[in-house]
Amino acid sequence: MTDLSLLRDADPATARAFLEAAPAEDLVGAIRATSDDDLVTLIGGDDVRPVAVEVILGRLHEYAVPERVAALRGVVRFDLVRGDTLLERHALVLDGSITVHRHHPADAPVDVVLTTSLLRFVRLVSGERNAGLEYLAGTLDIDGDATLAIGVGGIFRVPGTGQVAVDPHLLDPVDVATVLGEVKGDHLRKVMASDFRPIVLGEIFRRLPEFVDQRKARGVSLAVGFRLLGNPSGEVERYVVRVHDGVTRVEAGDDTGAEPDATVTCQGHDYLRLATGHLNPVFGVLKGTLKVKGDKAKALQLSSIIDVPTAR
């Protein structure tokens, strides 16, 4: 097993030789096995950090999923920061393969800029962190094509396998609920105005039936529609949640069959707060954040049979 402690007193040349020689799977495994504090100590110094980032990016293709890399097109710039201080700036050119542009000029054209800390960067590229959750949390800033950025976050594989380590499109509502407990409203609105919006909304609705209490839903028959506002395109996203005798299904789009018993209209970011327990439905209605048309009792009944994901 590769031992990262050898970097503790290494000079740049020694660090480069060590990182380039280590088998890719062993290197990723060693990163995963190293604590945050130790990782920052070992590769965060001004001598080793530039070499470590350069080598990690240069070897990305060795521990990425080839099929996913082949599907990506665009230029992705990484700005690694400590507080307000820029530490490193590099770019990846994705055209079916990966080319690294070291020390990418700030004024060179790119499709998206990812700004984060050195530690978050390393955890993302080793497949330990979910880029989607990091974006929601505000620990990863995405400026530009969020779809491309999230795609990059999903190319890393579990060491020794061809499996994706973390798919940023697959969001656990409990993880989302945990993250949103610390997120400011302005940031959440920014995220929900980006290309990431359909990913997070689609995943939350897809997973919703898993959180319906089967005992409480027994004998219940209702259909509640949701009209979600705030899409920069002007589109109103529509979903209908139907419950019949304990079975729940979610339908998306305009053509969802019979009219729902009630329809809830709200901003996309407020629905996300509602679905993860950060917005009380009664308070939301009273405040006007949630507007309900039709049978309000049915809308409240839906909320009563859902065990809303709670933050860890």
Side-chain angles (χ1 to χ4, degrees), residues 132-133 135-136 146-147 150 168 171 191 194-201:
L133 286 175
Y135 184 32
L136 274 175
T147 301
I150 297 302
L171 300 173
V191 171
S194 75
D195 298 337
F196 189 54
R197 177 187 176 100
I199 296 173
V200 65
L201 287 178

Side-chain angles (χ1 to χ4, degrees), residues 31-52:
I31 289 172
R32 290 174 170 227
T34 303
S35 71
D36 287 353
D37 288 344
D38 285 346
L39 197 55
V40 170
T41 298
L42 292 171
I43 67 172
D46 290 339
D47 288 338
V48 172
R49 183 193 66 250
V51 170

Side-chain angles (χ1 to χ4, degrees), residues 92-113:
L92 300 178
V93 178
L94 300 159
D95 55 3
S97 60
I98 302 175
T99 303
V100 180
H101 285 194
R102 298 169 179 83
H103 313 298
H104 200 72
D107 57 354
V110 297
D111 294 290
V112 63
V113 177

Side-chain angles (χ1 to χ4, degrees), residues 122-204:
V122 174
R123 294 301 187 201
L124 283 170
V125 300
S126 61
E128 297 172 82
R129 294 279 186 169
N130 186 313
L133 286 175
E134 297 293 334
Y135 184 32
L136 274 175
T139 51
L140 170 67
D141 185 66
I142 297 177
D143 183 13
D145 186 344
T147 301
L148 177 59
I150 297 302
V152 171
I155 67 174
F156 310 105
R157 71 172 185 263
V158 177
T161 77
Q163 299 176 345
V164 176
V166 176
D167 190 335
H169 293 81
L170 301 180
L171 300 173
D172 186 326
V174 174
D175 290 337
V176 174
T178 302
V179 162
L180 292 188
E182 304 293 330
V183 173
K184 295 182 179 179
D186 287 347
H187 175 71
L188 186 56
R189 281 187 283 273
K190 174 187 174 182
V191 171
M192 295 302 286
S194 75
D195 298 337
F196 189 54
R197 177 187 176 100
I199 296 173
V200 65
L201 287 178
E203 190 64 9
I204 292 296

Side-chain angles (χ1 to χ4, degrees), residues 188-189 192 197 200-201 205 227-231 237 265-274:
L188 186 56
R189 281 187 283 273
M192 295 302 286
R197 177 187 176 100
V200 65
L201 287 178
F205 273 107
R227 298 177 67 252
L228 305 183
L229 311 177
N231 191 318
E237 293 112 326
T265 299
C266 63
Q267 295 289 323
H269 60 269
D270 284 324
Y271 172 76
L272 198 54
R273 293 171 57 228
L274 175 70

Side-chain angles (χ1 to χ4, degrees), residues 3-14:
D3 184 2
L4 293 184
S5 66
L6 295 174
L7 294 172
R8 193 174 303 278
D9 299 312
D11 57 39
T14 302

